[in-house]
Amino acid sequence: MNPEHSQWYEFNEETIQALLDDGSSASEPHSIEYHFASDNFDRLEKAAVDAFKAGFEVGDAEELMLDDGGTLLCFDAVVERPLNLEQINQDTETLLAIADKHKVHYDGWGTYFVE
């Protein structure tokens, strides 16, 4: 298994466990936002199209100013899911493949607490 993928699977497990430990519902849908970034708009746009084709809602690209004065473009691929490790790992695998294909950065995911 790719070491980067293993790190993301560990991140997924730790994040889900932290949410559950805080009392977030395991069975209720969560709005899960998977993050992508690149300094190349064309690559990022192609990744967004592939994420959309894979069933994710894709937000508009946003420009982020870096501390060094540079800029980075980013977007979120969003899906409603319960906190199911197997499903989130599958999403991660799909989105890492898209990021690799288009040479953009996959930057994990986040969600909000759901009772």
PDB file of all heavy atoms in Angstrom, residues 47-82:
ATOM      1  N   ALA A  47      -9.380  18.515 -12.005  1.00  0.00           N
ATOM      2  CA  ALA A  47      -9.616  17.684 -10.822  1.00  0.00           C
ATOM      3  C   ALA A  47     -11.050  17.885 -10.320  1.00  0.00           C
ATOM      4  O   ALA A  47     -11.722  16.928  -9.926  1.00  0.00           O
ATOM      5  CB  ALA A  47      -8.613  18.023  -9.722  1.00  0.00           C
ATOM      6  N   ALA A  48     -11.532  19.129 -10.358  1.00  0.00           N
ATOM      7  CA  ALA A  48     -12.902  19.421  -9.916  1.00  0.00           C
ATOM      8  C   ALA A  48     -13.918  18.708 -10.802  1.00  0.00           C
ATOM      9  O   ALA A  48     -14.902  18.151 -10.304  1.00  0.00           O
ATOM     10  CB  ALA A  48     -13.140  20.927  -9.920  1.00  0.00           C
ATOM     11  N   VAL A  49     -13.678  18.697 -12.099  1.00  0.00           N
ATOM     12  CA  VAL A  49     -14.583  18.005 -13.024  1.00  0.00           C
ATOM     13  C   VAL A  49     -14.617  16.512 -12.704  1.00  0.00           C
ATOM     14  O   VAL A  49     -15.688  15.896 -12.634  1.00  0.00           O
ATOM     15  CB  VAL A  49     -14.171  18.254 -14.492  1.00  0.00           C
ATOM     16  CG1 VAL A  49     -14.908  17.320 -15.433  1.00  0.00           C
ATOM     17  CG2 VAL A  49     -14.416  19.711 -14.868  1.00  0.00           C
ATOM     18  N   ASP A  50     -13.451  15.915 -12.476  1.00  0.00           N
ATOM     19  CA  ASP A  50     -13.408  14.483 -12.145  1.00  0.00           C
ATOM     20  C   ASP A  50     -14.070  14.190 -10.796  1.00  0.00           C
ATOM     21  O   ASP A  50     -14.749  13.163 -10.647  1.00  0.00           O
ATOM     22  CB  ASP A  50     -11.973  13.962 -12.156  1.00  0.00           C
ATOM     23  CG  ASP A  50     -11.475  13.654 -13.558  1.00  0.00           C
ATOM     24  OD1 ASP A  50     -12.257  13.780 -14.524  1.00  0.00           O
ATOM     25  OD2 ASP A  50     -10.291  13.275 -13.681  1.00  0.00           O
ATOM     26  N   ALA A  51     -13.891  15.075  -9.825  1.00  0.00           N
ATOM     27  CA  ALA A  51     -14.550  14.884  -8.525  1.00  0.00           C
ATOM     28  C   ALA A  51     -16.069  14.951  -8.698  1.00  0.00           C
ATOM     29  O   ALA A  51     -16.808  14.152  -8.112  1.00  0.00           O
ATOM     30  CB  ALA A  51     -14.062  15.923  -7.521  1.00  0.00           C
ATOM     31  N   PHE A  52     -16.537  15.871  -9.524  1.00  0.00           N
ATOM     32  CA  PHE A  52     -17.969  15.979  -9.799  1.00  0.00           C
ATOM     33  C   PHE A  52     -18.474  14.700 -10.468  1.00  0.00           C
ATOM     34  O   PHE A  52     -19.515  14.159 -10.085  1.00  0.00           O
ATOM     35  CB  PHE A  52     -18.246  17.200 -10.679  1.00  0.00           C
ATOM     36  CG  PHE A  52     -19.689  17.360 -11.038  1.00  0.00           C
ATOM     37  CD1 PHE A  52     -20.592  17.873 -10.126  1.00  0.00           C
ATOM     38  CD2 PHE A  52     -20.150  16.979 -12.292  1.00  0.00           C
ATOM     39  CE1 PHE A  52     -21.935  18.002 -10.455  1.00  0.00           C
ATOM     40  CE2 PHE A  52     -21.481  17.107 -12.632  1.00  0.00           C
ATOM     41  CZ  PHE A  52     -22.380  17.620 -11.707  1.00  0.00           C
ATOM     42  N   LYS A  53     -17.735  14.219 -11.444  1.00  0.00           N
ATOM     43  CA  LYS A  53     -18.128  12.984 -12.133  1.00  0.00           C
ATOM     44  C   LYS A  53     -18.142  11.789 -11.188  1.00  0.00           C
ATOM     45  O   LYS A  53     -18.877  10.832 -11.399  1.00  0.00           O
ATOM     46  CB  LYS A  53     -17.179  12.698 -13.300  1.00  0.00           C
ATOM     47  CG  LYS A  53     -17.369  13.632 -14.475  1.00  0.00           C
ATOM     48  CD  LYS A  53     -16.370  13.313 -15.574  1.00  0.00           C
ATOM     49  CE  LYS A  53     -16.517  14.228 -16.766  1.00  0.00           C
ATOM     50  NZ  LYS A  53     -15.505  13.917 -17.800  1.00  0.00           N
ATOM     51  N   ALA A  54     -17.336  11.848 -10.118  1.00  0.00           N
ATOM     52  CA  ALA A  54     -17.282  10.771  -9.130  1.00  0.00           C
ATOM     53  C   ALA A  54     -18.393  10.890  -8.084  1.00  0.00           C
ATOM     54  O   ALA A  54     -18.469  10.075  -7.161  1.00  0.00           O
ATOM     55  CB  ALA A  54     -15.915  10.755  -8.449  1.00  0.00           C
ATOM     56  N   GLY A  55     -19.267  11.915  -8.215  1.00  0.00           N
ATOM     57  CA  GLY A  55     -20.428  12.018  -7.339  1.00  0.00           C
ATOM     58  C   GLY A  55     -20.326  13.034  -6.222  1.00  0.00           C
ATOM     59  O   GLY A  55     -21.182  13.073  -5.341  1.00  0.00           O
ATOM     60  N   PHE A  56     -19.310  13.889  -6.249  1.00  0.00           N
ATOM     61  CA  PHE A  56     -19.141  14.901  -5.212  1.00  0.00           C
ATOM     62  C   PHE A  56     -19.678  16.240  -5.698  1.00  0.00           C
ATOM     63  O   PHE A  56     -19.607  16.557  -6.885  1.00  0.00           O
ATOM     64  CB  PHE A  56     -17.654  15.047  -4.857  1.00  0.00           C
ATOM     65  CG  PHE A  56     -17.076  13.804  -4.253  1.00  0.00           C
ATOM     66  CD1 PHE A  56     -16.566  12.795  -5.058  1.00  0.00           C
ATOM     67  CD2 PHE A  56     -17.045  13.628  -2.882  1.00  0.00           C
ATOM     68  CE1 PHE A  56     -16.045  11.637  -4.518  1.00  0.00           C
ATOM     69  CE2 PHE A  56     -16.528  12.471  -2.328  1.00  0.00           C
ATOM     70  CZ  PHE A  56     -16.029  11.472  -3.146  1.00  0.00           C
ATOM     71  N   GLU A  57     -20.217  17.013  -4.773  1.00  0.00           N
ATOM     72  CA  GLU A  57     -20.592  18.392  -5.073  1.00  0.00           C
ATOM     73  C   GLU A  57     -19.300  19.208  -5.013  1.00  0.00           C
ATOM     74  O   GLU A  57     -18.535  19.092  -4.060  1.00  0.00           O
ATOM     75  CB  GLU A  57     -21.591  18.894  -4.031  1.00  0.00           C
ATOM     76  CG  GLU A  57     -22.059  20.298  -4.277  1.00  0.00           C
ATOM     77  CD  GLU A  57     -23.029  20.755  -3.205  1.00  0.00           C
ATOM     78  OE1 GLU A  57     -23.851  19.952  -2.764  1.00  0.00           O
ATOM     79  OE2 GLU A  57     -22.924  21.932  -2.818  1.00  0.00           O
ATOM     80  N   VAL A  58     -19.073  20.016  -6.017  1.00  0.00           N
ATOM     81  CA  VAL A  58     -17.809  20.740  -6.111  1.00  0.00           C
ATOM     82  C   VAL A  58     -18.056  22.234  -5.969  1.00  0.00           C
ATOM     83  O   VAL A  58     -18.891  22.795  -6.685  1.00  0.00           O
ATOM     84  CB  VAL A  58     -17.105  20.431  -7.449  1.00  0.00           C
ATOM     85  CG1 VAL A  58     -15.843  21.251  -7.603  1.00  0.00           C
ATOM     86  CG2 VAL A  58     -16.796  18.948  -7.552  1.00  0.00           C
ATOM     87  N   GLY A  59     -17.334  22.851  -5.051  1.00  0.00           N
ATOM     88  CA  GLY A  59     -17.444  24.292  -4.864  1.00  0.00           C
ATOM     89  C   GLY A  59     -16.553  25.044  -5.834  1.00  0.00           C
ATOM     90  O   GLY A  59     -15.686  24.470  -6.491  1.00  0.00           O
ATOM     91  N   ASP A  60     -16.792  26.344  -5.936  1.00  0.00           N
ATOM     92  CA  ASP A  60     -15.957  27.195  -6.779  1.00  0.00           C
ATOM     93  C   ASP A  60     -14.550  27.280  -6.206  1.00  0.00           C
ATOM     94  O   ASP A  60     -14.355  27.226  -4.990  1.00  0.00           O
ATOM     95  CB  ASP A  60     -16.538  28.612  -6.855  1.00  0.00           C
ATOM     96  CG  ASP A  60     -17.852  28.666  -7.606  1.00  0.00           C
ATOM     97  OD1 ASP A  60     -18.079  27.782  -8.470  1.00  0.00           O
ATOM     98  OD2 ASP A  60     -18.652  29.574  -7.328  1.00  0.00           O
ATOM     99  N   ALA A  61     -13.586  27.440  -7.089  1.00  0.00           N
ATOM    100  CA  ALA A  61     -12.205  27.617  -6.651  1.00  0.00           C
ATOM    101  C   ALA A  61     -12.080  28.961  -5.933  1.00  0.00           C
ATOM    102  O   ALA A  61     -12.694  29.958  -6.326  1.00  0.00           O
ATOM    103  CB  ALA A  61     -11.261  27.555  -7.838  1.00  0.00           C
ATOM    104  N   GLU A  62     -11.299  28.969  -4.873  1.00  0.00           N
ATOM    105  CA  GLU A  62     -11.027  30.189  -4.124  1.00  0.00           C
ATOM    106  C   GLU A  62      -9.526  30.425  -4.108  1.00  0.00           C
ATOM    107  O   GLU A  62      -8.739  29.489  -4.136  1.00  0.00           O
ATOM    108  CB  GLU A  62     -11.536  30.057  -2.689  1.00  0.00           C
ATOM    109  CG  GLU A  62     -13.036  29.916  -2.592  1.00  0.00           C
ATOM    110  CD  GLU A  62     -13.523  29.812  -1.162  1.00  0.00           C
ATOM    111  OE1 GLU A  62     -12.769  30.203  -0.238  1.00  0.00           O
ATOM    112  OE2 GLU A  62     -14.643  29.332  -0.968  1.00  0.00           O
ATOM    113  N   GLU A  63      -9.150  31.691  -4.059  1.00  0.00           N
ATOM    114  CA  GLU A  63      -7.740  32.055  -4.014  1.00  0.00           C
ATOM    115  C   GLU A  63      -7.342  32.290  -2.560  1.00  0.00           C
ATOM    116  O   GLU A  63      -8.032  32.990  -1.823  1.00  0.00           O
ATOM    117  CB  GLU A  63      -7.514  33.315  -4.839  1.00  0.00           C
ATOM    118  CG  GLU A  63      -6.070  33.631  -5.086  1.00  0.00           C
ATOM    119  CD  GLU A  63      -5.912  34.787  -6.048  1.00  0.00           C
ATOM    120  OE1 GLU A  63      -6.337  35.908  -5.701  1.00  0.00           O
ATOM    121  OE2 GLU A  63      -5.385  34.563  -7.146  1.00  0.00           O
ATOM    122  N   LEU A  64      -6.239  31.695  -2.161  1.00  0.00           N
ATOM    123  CA  LEU A  64      -5.736  31.809  -0.800  1.00  0.00           C
ATOM    124  C   LEU A  64      -4.370  32.478  -0.844  1.00  0.00           C
ATOM    125  O   LEU A  64      -3.493  32.051  -1.601  1.00  0.00           O
ATOM    126  CB  LEU A  64      -5.621  30.412  -0.175  1.00  0.00           C
ATOM    127  CG  LEU A  64      -5.039  30.303   1.212  1.00  0.00           C
ATOM    128  CD1 LEU A  64      -5.978  30.940   2.235  1.00  0.00           C
ATOM    129  CD2 LEU A  64      -4.815  28.850   1.567  1.00  0.00           C
ATOM    130  N   MET A  65      -4.206  33.535  -0.074  1.00  0.00           N
ATOM    131  CA  MET A  65      -2.915  34.219   0.000  1.00  0.00           C
ATOM    132  C   MET A  65      -2.022  33.502   1.018  1.00  0.00           C
ATOM    133  O   MET A  65      -2.438  33.250   2.154  1.00  0.00           O
ATOM    134  CB  MET A  65      -3.102  35.677   0.434  1.00  0.00           C
ATOM    135  CG  MET A  65      -3.853  36.525  -0.578  1.00  0.00           C
ATOM    136  SD  MET A  65      -3.015  36.703  -2.159  1.00  0.00           S
ATOM    137  CE  MET A  65      -1.599  37.646  -1.676  1.00  0.00           C
ATOM    138  N   LEU A  66      -0.820  33.175   0.609  1.00  0.00           N
ATOM    139  CA  LEU A  66       0.134  32.494   1.471  1.00  0.00           C
ATOM    140  C   LEU A  66       0.982  33.507   2.237  1.00  0.00           C
ATOM    141  O   LEU A  66       1.094  34.671   1.838  1.00  0.00           O
ATOM    142  CB  LEU A  66       1.030  31.575   0.640  1.00  0.00           C
ATOM    143  CG  LEU A  66       0.295  30.509  -0.182  1.00  0.00           C
ATOM    144  CD1 LEU A  66       1.282  29.759  -1.065  1.00  0.00           C
ATOM    145  CD2 LEU A  66      -0.445  29.555   0.738  1.00  0.00           C
ATOM    146  N   ASP A  67       1.593  33.054   3.323  1.00  0.00           N
ATOM    147  CA  ASP A  67       2.427  33.930   4.136  1.00  0.00           C
ATOM    148  C   ASP A  67       3.591  34.521   3.348  1.00  0.00           C
ATOM    149  O   ASP A  67       4.037  35.628   3.630  1.00  0.00           O
ATOM    150  CB  ASP A  67       2.980  33.168   5.351  1.00  0.00           C
ATOM    151  CG  ASP A  67       1.894  32.824   6.350  1.00  0.00           C
ATOM    152  OD1 ASP A  67       0.835  33.485   6.338  1.00  0.00           O
ATOM    153  OD2 ASP A  67       2.106  31.894   7.155  1.00  0.00           O
ATOM    154  N   ASP A  68       4.073  33.798   2.351  1.00  0.00           N
ATOM    155  CA  ASP A  68       5.207  34.282   1.563  1.00  0.00           C
ATOM    156  C   ASP A  68       4.797  35.203   0.420  1.00  0.00           C
ATOM    157  O   ASP A  68       5.615  35.599  -0.409  1.00  0.00           O
ATOM    158  CB  ASP A  68       6.028  33.109   1.019  1.00  0.00           C
ATOM    159  CG  ASP A  68       5.278  32.277  -0.012  1.00  0.00           C
ATOM    160  OD1 ASP A  68       4.132  32.627  -0.374  1.00  0.00           O
ATOM    161  OD2 ASP A  68       5.844  31.269  -0.461  1.00  0.00           O
ATOM    162  N   GLY A  69       3.502  35.559   0.351  1.00  0.00           N
ATOM    163  CA  GLY A  69       3.019  36.455  -0.682  1.00  0.00           C
ATOM    164  C   GLY A  69       2.488  35.745  -1.912  1.00  0.00           C
ATOM    165  O   GLY A  69       1.883  36.367  -2.773  1.00  0.00           O
ATOM    166  N   GLY A  70       2.720  34.439  -2.010  1.00  0.00           N
ATOM    167  CA  GLY A  70       2.211  33.669  -3.134  1.00  0.00           C
ATOM    168  C   GLY A  70       0.726  33.396  -2.988  1.00  0.00           C
ATOM    169  O   GLY A  70       0.115  33.729  -1.975  1.00  0.00           O
ATOM    170  N   THR A  71       0.151  32.812  -4.012  1.00  0.00           N
ATOM    171  CA  THR A  71      -1.262  32.456  -3.968  1.00  0.00           C
ATOM    172  C   THR A  71      -1.440  30.978  -4.281  1.00  0.00           C
ATOM    173  O   THR A  71      -0.628  30.366  -4.974  1.00  0.00           O
ATOM    174  CB  THR A  71      -2.092  33.273  -4.978  1.00  0.00           C
ATOM    175  OG1 THR A  71      -1.577  33.057  -6.285  1.00  0.00           O
ATOM    176  CG2 THR A  71      -2.082  34.746  -4.648  1.00  0.00           C
ATOM    177  N   LEU A  72      -2.477  30.438  -3.754  1.00  0.00           N
ATOM    178  CA  LEU A  72      -2.838  29.045  -3.963  1.00  0.00           C
ATOM    179  C   LEU A  72      -4.328  29.014  -4.249  1.00  0.00           C
ATOM    180  O   LEU A  72      -5.101  29.763  -3.648  1.00  0.00           O
ATOM    181  CB  LEU A  72      -2.523  28.246  -2.699  1.00  0.00           C
ATOM    182  CG  LEU A  72      -2.476  26.744  -2.774  1.00  0.00           C
ATOM    183  CD1 LEU A  72      -1.395  26.290  -3.758  1.00  0.00           C
ATOM    184  CD2 LEU A  72      -2.182  26.170  -1.402  1.00  0.00           C
ATOM    185  N   LEU A  73      -4.727  28.180  -5.169  1.00  0.00           N
ATOM    186  CA  LEU A  73      -6.137  28.005  -5.484  1.00  0.00           C
ATOM    187  C   LEU A  73      -6.630  26.733  -4.812  1.00  0.00           C
ATOM    188  O   LEU A  73      -5.890  25.747  -4.742  1.00  0.00           O
ATOM    189  CB  LEU A  73      -6.327  27.909  -6.996  1.00  0.00           C
ATOM    190  CG  LEU A  73      -5.852  29.128  -7.774  1.00  0.00           C
ATOM    191  CD1 LEU A  73      -5.708  28.784  -9.247  1.00  0.00           C
ATOM    192  CD2 LEU A  73      -6.817  30.280  -7.583  1.00  0.00           C
ATOM    193  N   CYS A  74      -7.852  26.750  -4.326  1.00  0.00           N
ATOM    194  CA  CYS A  74      -8.368  25.561  -3.651  1.00  0.00           C
ATOM    195  C   CYS A  74      -9.869  25.426  -3.886  1.00  0.00           C
ATOM    196  O   CYS A  74     -10.554  26.382  -4.208  1.00  0.00           O
ATOM    197  CB  CYS A  74      -8.050  25.595  -2.165  1.00  0.00           C
ATOM    198  SG  CYS A  74      -8.256  27.165  -1.364  1.00  0.00           S
ATOM    199  N   PHE A  75     -10.346  24.190  -3.731  1.00  0.00           N
ATOM    200  CA  PHE A  75     -11.780  23.921  -3.787  1.00  0.00           C
ATOM    201  C   PHE A  75     -12.077  22.729  -2.883  1.00  0.00           C
ATOM    202  O   PHE A  75     -11.186  21.977  -2.507  1.00  0.00           O
ATOM    203  CB  PHE A  75     -12.271  23.659  -5.220  1.00  0.00           C
ATOM    204  CG  PHE A  75     -11.976  22.280  -5.756  1.00  0.00           C
ATOM    205  CD1 PHE A  75     -12.858  21.228  -5.550  1.00  0.00           C
ATOM    206  CD2 PHE A  75     -10.816  22.038  -6.473  1.00  0.00           C
ATOM    207  CE1 PHE A  75     -12.588  19.955  -6.048  1.00  0.00           C
ATOM    208  CE2 PHE A  75     -10.539  20.775  -6.987  1.00  0.00           C
ATOM    209  CZ  PHE A  75     -11.421  19.733  -6.771  1.00  0.00           C
ATOM    210  N   ASP A  76     -13.355  22.599  -2.540  1.00  0.00           N
ATOM    211  CA  ASP A  76     -13.818  21.470  -1.745  1.00  0.00           C
ATOM    212  C   ASP A  76     -14.715  20.580  -2.596  1.00  0.00           C
ATOM    213  O   ASP A  76     -15.516  21.073  -3.397  1.00  0.00           O
ATOM    214  CB  ASP A  76     -14.625  21.932  -0.525  1.00  0.00           C
ATOM    215  CG  ASP A  76     -13.771  22.607   0.518  1.00  0.00           C
ATOM    216  OD1 ASP A  76     -12.561  22.321   0.579  1.00  0.00           O
ATOM    217  OD2 ASP A  76     -14.312  23.433   1.283  1.00  0.00           O
ATOM    218  N   ALA A  77     -14.563  19.280  -2.397  1.00  0.00           N
ATOM    219  CA  ALA A  77     -15.468  18.284  -2.964  1.00  0.00           C
ATOM    220  C   ALA A  77     -16.294  17.778  -1.781  1.00  0.00           C
ATOM    221  O   ALA A  77     -15.741  17.234  -0.825  1.00  0.00           O
ATOM    222  CB  ALA A  77     -14.694  17.153  -3.617  1.00  0.00           C
ATOM    223  N   VAL A  78     -17.596  17.986  -1.832  1.00  0.00           N
ATOM    224  CA  VAL A  78     -18.456  17.765  -0.668  1.00  0.00           C
ATOM    225  C   VAL A  78     -19.425  16.620  -0.925  1.00  0.00           C
ATOM    226  O   VAL A  78     -19.950  16.466  -2.033  1.00  0.00           O
ATOM    227  CB  VAL A  78     -19.242  19.053  -0.336  1.00  0.00           C
ATOM    228  CG1 VAL A  78     -20.121  18.862   0.893  1.00  0.00           C
ATOM    229  CG2 VAL A  78     -18.288  20.223  -0.152  1.00  0.00           C
ATOM    230  N   VAL A  79     -19.653  15.832   0.132  1.00  0.00           N
ATOM    231  CA  VAL A  79     -20.613  14.738   0.063  1.00  0.00           C
ATOM    232  C   VAL A  79     -21.241  14.577   1.448  1.00  0.00           C
ATOM    233  O   VAL A  79     -20.612  14.875   2.461  1.00  0.00           O
ATOM    234  CB  VAL A  79     -19.921  13.431  -0.414  1.00  0.00           C
ATOM    235  CG1 VAL A  79     -18.920  12.930   0.600  1.00  0.00           C
ATOM    236  CG2 VAL A  79     -20.918  12.366  -0.786  1.00  0.00           C
ATOM    237  N   GLU A  80     -22.483  14.151   1.472  1.00  0.00           N
ATOM    238  CA  GLU A  80     -23.178  13.859   2.734  1.00  0.00           C
ATOM    239  C   GLU A  80     -22.990  12.382   3.046  1.00  0.00           C
ATOM    240  O   GLU A  80     -23.360  11.529   2.233  1.00  0.00           O
ATOM    241  CB  GLU A  80     -24.669  14.184   2.623  1.00  0.00           C
ATOM    242  CG  GLU A  80     -24.978  15.649   2.429  1.00  0.00           C
ATOM    243  CD  GLU A  80     -24.783  16.459   3.690  1.00  0.00           C
ATOM    244  OE1 GLU A  80     -25.083  15.959   4.789  1.00  0.00           O
ATOM    245  OE2 GLU A  80     -24.312  17.610   3.575  1.00  0.00           O
ATOM    246  N   ARG A  81     -22.404  12.087   4.211  1.00  0.00           N
ATOM    247  CA  ARG A  81     -22.135  10.710   4.603  1.00  0.00           C
ATOM    248  C   ARG A  81     -22.222  10.559   6.121  1.00  0.00           C
ATOM    249  O   ARG A  81     -21.861  11.473   6.852  1.00  0.00           O
ATOM    250  CB  ARG A  81     -20.710  10.301   4.240  1.00  0.00           C
ATOM    251  CG  ARG A  81     -20.380  10.336   2.794  1.00  0.00           C
ATOM    252  CD  ARG A  81     -19.758   9.011   2.388  1.00  0.00           C
ATOM    253  NE  ARG A  81     -19.276   9.059   1.036  1.00  0.00           N
ATOM    254  CZ  ARG A  81     -20.020   8.902  -0.041  1.00  0.00           C
ATOM    255  NH1 ARG A  81     -21.311   8.697   0.088  1.00  0.00           N
ATOM    256  NH2 ARG A  81     -19.499   8.938  -1.244  1.00  0.00           N
ATOM    257  N   PRO A  82     -22.629   9.376   6.584  1.00  0.00           N
ATOM    258  CA  PRO A  82     -22.432   9.080   8.006  1.00  0.00           C
ATOM    259  C   PRO A  82     -20.929   8.888   8.244  1.00  0.00           C
ATOM    260  O   PRO A  82     -20.150   8.737   7.295  1.00  0.00           O
ATOM    261  CB  PRO A  82     -23.188   7.767   8.232  1.00  0.00           C
ATOM    262  CG  PRO A  82     -23.650   7.291   6.911  1.00  0.00           C
ATOM    263  CD  PRO A  82     -23.330   8.327   5.883  1.00  0.00           C
TER     264      PRO A  82
END
